[in-house]
Amino acid sequence: MRSANKAWVLVALSGVALATAIPAIGADDPKSLLPPGFGEPDQNSEKAPVPSQAKAPDIDTGIAQSLEGGTAGVPATDGTLEDPALAQSEDVPIDLTTLQDLPSGRHRSTAQVGILAAGDGDMGALAFGRQNGKYLSYLMRKTPAPIASRWASILLRRALLSKANTPHGVAGADWVAERAWLLLRMGEADSARLLVQSVDVDQYTPKMFQVAMQAALANADPAGMCAMVEPGSQHSKEPAWAFAKAMCSALSGDSAEASSQIDLAKARSSTGIDGLLAEKVVGAGINTRRAVVIQWDDVPVLTAWRFGLANATAVDIPERLLSGTSPRLNAWRARAPLVAVEKRMHDADIAAALGVFSSSALVDFYGQVADVTDASAISGTPQDFLRKAYDEADPSERVDAMRTLWNEQSLESLDRYARLIVTARAAARLTPDPSLSGNLGSLIAAMMSAGLDVQASDWARIIGDSSDADSLMAWGLLAVGAPGRAVDWSSGRIESFQNKIGGDNGLKGKFLFAGMAGLGRLGPADAAAMARSLEIPIAHEDAWTRALARAVADREPGTVAILCALGLSGPDWSAVSPEHLYHVVSALNSVGFGPEARMIAAEALTRS
């Protein structure tokens, strides 16, 4: 599945520069999505009025917003999650009944919107139980994305795409917009677009228009704006809609109208490169006779508009604008069809590490790059080593090829994890062999990264009681990741692990304990004693733990998935506390997501 990010800043006057209307990709929560006072929990009653001075956090500063990755976030501990009653939204559905394509009364209902079938992991109509929609929306906006855990992100995607009942207290289209908005921030551009397309345009709210345009831009698909361009431009004087109308006229073959509209839009707005990129799309239409040269020299920041239209017209974006952006941008770019496949290798690795690409999809991507690489130049490339990892006759040579992929010095953390993902099935094809000792930890980590837990468990007999670092790492991964008791679960073994390879600040050893305790693989007495020894307050309660416990008790898998994602917020695993991992693993295991709980626990060991 796919990917992700950014909302649209509505402006009141058409004379405002288009650049001002387009937030930078790094921004997480454009204020246009949170009207003043919305999103702040009310501590008294569901119908309490919103104080007039209440303001949404000024998170997005438009064109000046730097392109930085997500910041670490932790669940609130001030009681703000206790009361699901939130302030009234100012986003009210607008009347577009005169513009609907379907006969009156024939549009699709928004009472239940989702794209998953039962066999695809759908969590069911009651995935969010009787939760207040504003409360759930608030939780989703509080979740920085992408989140630290690949497996938690995969589970969250399932929750957001499930065909669940629209919760009370929120308009159906607004609820879909909130889900699509989080998917975009997770890097899931394709999934967000599919969800947006599940709502008829005649039912769009202002928020839905914003997110729908963002989904089109994230997918580098200006044609995706065409179904909503007329009603969108009627409810907003934002310059972007005028440019969208011109692009859609060109894409439909009306070159004369497109030329007139683009000239008018440029005359009304001071746009710079944003207008030129729109004109570039118009120039791709039939008989428009417009040749536009794009110069990035004076462009200080990459926005969703610039990203989407540049990739839609095969315009190269300078590396200085791409570097340092949020990983969600890489996930969007990984599936941009007009960007040469070999230029998207790093993007594909990031998409896999975020959970947007599967292991099989990443292997296929490496194959596509190999197909366009000259035979004389492929030796020594990652694609060459991946082929050897799958095809060499000698198992030791296959492992050597995998080790080369894993240990490339230039790799950053997400790319390094992607190398485990892409070699997962190659590792699973090996027969457990004592001669491969020294690589057990990496082989099992690779298999766990793709959910191949059964195949990984076959290696338990090779590990035995070995106490070297590699064997202990392999043991730890099986202690939390295997579907059954494949290895010894004693507290003494955990202590050996902690003493030998505890990791920075003992985090790896603490994650091992948190995973095993959360899965119930330690007795109560041992769990309590080790928690005290490791100084992990697993019995501590706060607003987040209480909200999670209620969702578990009420059997609400969708709510649990959202709260778990909130608990694993942060740019990487160093921002996740062992206490949070314990509660996440325990909660998921309690509501029937045992496999996902085990993979998250194994991932914590692998990536810490």
Side-chain angles (χ1 to χ4, degrees), residues 443-476:
L443 288 170
I444 292 175
M447 287 182 266
M448 292 295 186
S449 73
L452 303 175
D453 55 345
V454 175
Q455 294 88 331
S457 298
D458 291 341
W459 290 77
R461 59 184 175 84
I462 304 299
I463 299 170
D465 296 327
S466 301
S467 58
D468 60 280
D470 179 64
S471 296
L472 277 173
M473 185 63 194
W475 168 83

Side-chain angles (χ1 to χ4, degrees), residues 5-9 18-31 59-69 181 185 214 217 274 299-307 321 324-326 328-329 332:
N5 177 337
K6 257 10 352 114
W8 215 239
V9 180
L18 178 62
T20 305
I22 301 167
I25 291 173
D28 276 328
D29 208 353
K31 52 191 173 185
I59 296 175
D60 191 328
T61 56
I63 193 66
Q65 177 73 38
S66 63
L67 291 178
E68 19 182 67
W181 176 242
R185 291 191 288 120
Q214 280 295 325
L217 292 170
D274 300 305
V299 177
V301 69
L302 186 62
T303 65
W305 181 270
R306 295 164 188 171
F307 170 87
L321 293 177
T325 57
S326 170
R328 67 175 69 97
L329 175 68
W332 296 357

Side-chain angles (χ1 to χ4, degrees), residues 42-111:
D42 171 64
Q43 299 299 314
N44 299 311
S45 68
E46 185 171 334
K47 297 183 179 180
V50 182
S52 59
Q53 69 272 22
K55 299 291 183 182
D58 188 10
I59 296 175
D60 191 328
T61 56
I63 193 66
Q65 177 73 38
S66 63
L67 291 178
E68 19 182 67
T71 55
V74 296
T77 58
D78 57 1
T80 57
L81 301 186
E82 292 287 47
D83 193 339
L86 299 180
Q88 279 294 95
S89 169
E90 294 181 5
D91 290 343
V92 188
I94 58 177
D95 185 9
L96 298 176
T97 55
T98 60
L99 301 171
Q100 56 188 3
D101 295 324
L102 296 174
S104 178
R106 294 295 299 276
H107 56 252
R108 291 171 293 179
S109 171
T110 59

Side-chain angles (χ1 to χ4, degrees), residues 13 34 63 103 183 185 223 232 346 408 450 502 508 561 569 572 598:
L13 301 174
L34 284 88
I63 193 66
L183 285 166
R185 291 191 288 120
H346 172 64
E408 185 177 325
K508 199 178 289 287
S569 295
D572 55 50
R598 290 187 284 103

Side-chain angles (χ1 to χ4, degrees), residues 367-561:
Q368 292 177 46
V369 175
D371 289 343
V372 300
T373 303
D374 189 271
S376 62
I378 200 168
S379 179
T381 63
Q383 295 74 43
D384 181 38
F385 287 115
L386 185 63
R387 178 193 60 78
K388 292 177 179 177
Y390 277 89
D391 295 344
E392 288 292 341
D394 186 345
S396 63
E397 292 182 7
R398 287 153 66 183
V399 173
D400 286 343
M402 288 185 237
R403 190 190 302 113
T404 301
L405 288 169
W406 299 331
N407 296 335
E408 185 177 325
Q409 293 300 310
S410 62
L411 296 178
E412 297 180 358
S413 59
L414 288 174
D415 303 85
R416 193 175 304 280
Y417 188 54
R419 292 294 176 83
L420 292 173
I421 295 168
V422 80
T423 54
R425 282 171 171 75
R429 293 173 63 180
L430 292 169
T431 300
D433 187 340
S435 68
L436 300 179
S437 296
N439 303 285
L440 297 179
S442 295
L443 288 170
I444 292 175
M447 287 182 266
M448 292 295 186
S449 73
L452 303 175
D453 55 345
V454 175
Q455 294 88 331
S457 298
D458 291 341
W459 290 77
R461 59 184 175 84
I462 304 299
I463 299 170
D465 296 327
S466 301
S467 58
D468 60 280
D470 179 64
S471 296
L472 277 173
M473 185 63 194
W475 168 83
L477 289 167
L478 291 178
V480 296
R485 190 163 189 154
V487 294
D488 173 30
W489 289 348
S490 69
S491 57
R493 194 73 160 147
I494 298 176
E495 292 171 356
S496 296
F497 182 98
Q498 176 73 321
N499 293 334
K500 193 85 172 184
I501 52 170
D504 293 342
N505 301 317
L507 189 59
K508 199 178 289 287
K510 292 178 179 179
F511 279 157
L512 172 64
F513 161 75
M516 293 188 68
L519 290 167
R521 294 185 170 182
L522 294 174
D526 284 341
M530 293 202 72
R532 288 192 299 272
S533 174
L534 295 170
E535 299 182 339
I536 303 174
I538 59 175
H540 170 73
E541 290 187 1
D542 57 27
W544 175 72
T545 62
R546 287 188 288 270
L548 187 58
R550 285 196 303 270
V552 169
D554 292 339
R555 308 299 293 178
E556 298 174 356
T559 309
V560 169

